[in-house]
Amino acid sequence: MTGKIIGTGSYLPDRIVTNDELAGMMETSDEWIRSRTGIAERRIALDEGTTGMAVKAARRALESAGVEAEELDLILLATSTQDHLFPSGACEVQATLGAVNAAAYDISAACTGFIFGLASAQAFIRSGMYRTALIIGVDCLSKIMDWSDRGTCVLFGDGAGAAVVRAEDRGMIHAVMGSDGTKGPVLSCVARSEGNAFNGRTPELGYTQMDGQAVFKFAVKKVPECIHQLLDESSVDIDDIDYFVLHQANQRINESIAKRLKQPLEKVPMNIERYGNTSAATIPILLDELNRDGKFQPGDKIVLAGFGAGLTWGAALLEW
Ligand code: COA
């Protein structure tokens, strides 16, 4: 048995923030952001949180799969911006959906979280422990941005994507995951500083900090490496892949990955122009858009691949 994606869904907040609007708030420009990243605009959550967005994407995924919430055995929610430290966002989604038979927990692997969730669900399904899983990638990065730091805040946006995975004979072929905790400081966000009643310090929330060039170099090297590992271990030729659905962090990163893989850009769809980097949500949002546009045919081979804080990276090979 293998875990097959049988339904997808996504949700983006209505509020559009253009590069020009940001240029009115800080010293930046549409030209700088577009030419460095490919981003034109992003969505920002105003009156909704991470769980609210996750629920909307999840409902759409369940509907597209034709699966009732009670049928779910497992809910994995990948995020860095959960509304509460506890309970988990996955438990909040479970409660709202009424997925009374599911075990639910969050996955912390930043932008790689959806891939880690998919690979984890796959392991449960292969072992025979579970049959039907909901995997959600969701982030509300606007709440952990320093909106005066033009080097980071212009890159990110809010959104959610989800997929329902069920035990079938064919579906996911293979997945790989990797982590290098020694590179943690390259992309980080303090959850809460160490203040308490005894040390006299007031706890403060932190904001995203990033060494952009280090992340860029890591991504363009590690993602092709991990895709090659995925395909070698699966004995699948790279030219037989129909689509590479990559994490949407930077258009130039994805163009460089395509070049290193010697693959045409037509096989590397992108939507970063409209949404920016929605972290754990980019891959399932793009997957959902392509699925709803009817881009995938049964039997198509699709590689999903991402990277993010940790540092973490991962890839999955699907047969649609
Ligand atoms: N608008 C205008 N100027 C900006 C700016 C902005 N939003 N952000 C930074 N700059 C300035 C810098 O201050 C710097 O000025 P200086 O030369 O006077 O010091 C100049 O632009 C160049 O900055 P630099 O950091 O060298 O730019 P870059 O070409 O490396 O592009 C990123 C920066 C962040 C776009 C790029 O490094 C990147 O995309 N990295 C990957 C980040 C990522 O994907 N993170 C998430 C991973 S999941």
Side-chain angles (χ1 to χ4, degrees):
M1 279 292 157
T2 183
K4 183 178 175 62
I5 293 183
I6 57 165
T8 61
S10 60
Y11 171 77
L12 289 135
D14 291 336
R15 176 69 158 91
I16 295 172
V17 174
T18 63
N19 292 343
D20 283 334
E21 184 170 354
L22 290 180
M25 297 162 57
M26 64 194 78
E27 213 173 300
T28 189
S29 66
D30 180 52
E31 195 282 322
W32 193 97
I33 300 171
R34 267 181 209 265
S35 63
R36 297 289 201 300
T37 69
I39 299 166
E41 58 190 41
R42 72 284 297 138
R43 303 297 180 95
I44 299 293
L46 298 182
D47 302 315
E48 57 199 333
T50 297
T51 298
M53 294 196 292
V55 165
K56 287 177 179 149
R59 284 206 164 111
R60 289 172 186 172
L62 286 170
E63 194 184 302
S64 106
V67 163
E68 298 296 329
E70 296 82 7
E71 294 176 57
L72 294 173
D73 303 311
L74 180 67
I75 299 175
L76 298 178
L77 184 144
T79 192
S80 306
T81 49
Q82 55 273 56
D83 292 336
H84 299 100
L85 291 178
F86 48 85
S88 67
C91 283
E92 293 176 327
V93 169
Q94 180 210 20
T96 311
L97 294 180
V100 290
N101 298 308
Y105 58 91
D106 287 359
I107 290 189
S108 174
C111 303
T112 323
F114 183 78
I115 302 278
F116 275 33
L118 208 54
S120 304
Q122 173 73 353
F124 281 118
I125 288 171
R126 282 231 162 115
S127 76
M129 188 165 165
Y130 293 132
R131 270 189 60 77
T132 311
L134 170 67
I135 300 115
I136 304 165
V138 56
D139 265 303
C140 191
L141 289 169
S142 59
K143 62 186 175 191
I144 56 163
M145 280 303 133
D146 174 354
W147 285 97
S148 65
D149 176 8
R150 65 178 184 171
T152 54
C153 72
V154 302
L155 304 177
F156 297 98
D158 302 333
V164 177
V165 172
R166 197 166 60 195
E168 304 254 343
D169 291 335
R170 301 164 82 90
M172 195 196 290
I173 298 170
H174 188 41
V176 296
M177 302 192 279
S179 308
D180 179 1
T182 66
K183 304 263 171 37
V186 163
L187 182 52
S188 67
C189 180
V190 172
R192 196 177 276 242
S193 61
E194 70 282 16
N196 60 40
F198 306 97
N199 65 15
R201 293 196 286 274
T202 310
E204 280 174 29
L205 291 178
Y207 294 104
T208 304
Q209 296 189 331
M210 181 181 74
D211 177 344
Q213 288 188 6
V215 175
F216 197 105
K217 282 185 199 144
F218 155 76
V220 297
K221 185 163 174 282
K222 188 53 86 176
V223 175
E225 261 176 36
C226 110
I227 291 175
H228 280 305
Q229 180 197 347
L230 176 82
L231 297 178
D232 288 349
E233 290 175 7
S234 314
S235 303
V236 169
D237 193 297
I238 194 158
D239 293 326
D240 291 337
I241 301 302
D242 297 286
Y243 287 103
F244 297 84
V245 178
L246 305 181
H247 173 44
Q248 305 288 296
N250 183 312
Q251 185 178 318
R252 287 190 302 141
I253 290 178
N254 288 354
E255 286 169 357
S256 169
I257 292 169
K259 198 168 166 199
R260 284 174 190 233
L261 293 174
K262 300 191 177 63
Q263 294 297 304
L265 274 177
E266 298 76 66
K267 285 191 185 182
V268 186
M270 290 188 236
N271 61 7
I272 188 167
E273 186 181 10
R274 286 174 284 140
Y275 308 135
N277 178 350
T278 55
S279 190
T282 68
I283 293 173
I285 290 172
L286 182 55
L287 195 66
D288 183 47
E289 288 192 343
L290 295 165
N291 186 23
R292 281 170 199 269
D293 284 353
K295 292 279 194 283
F296 302 143
Q297 302 305 317
D300 274 2
K301 289 199 173 57
I302 301 161
V303 166
L304 313 182
F307 62 92
L311 293 172
T312 53
W313 59 92
L317 175 57
L318 315 178
E319 186 177 329
W320 200 254

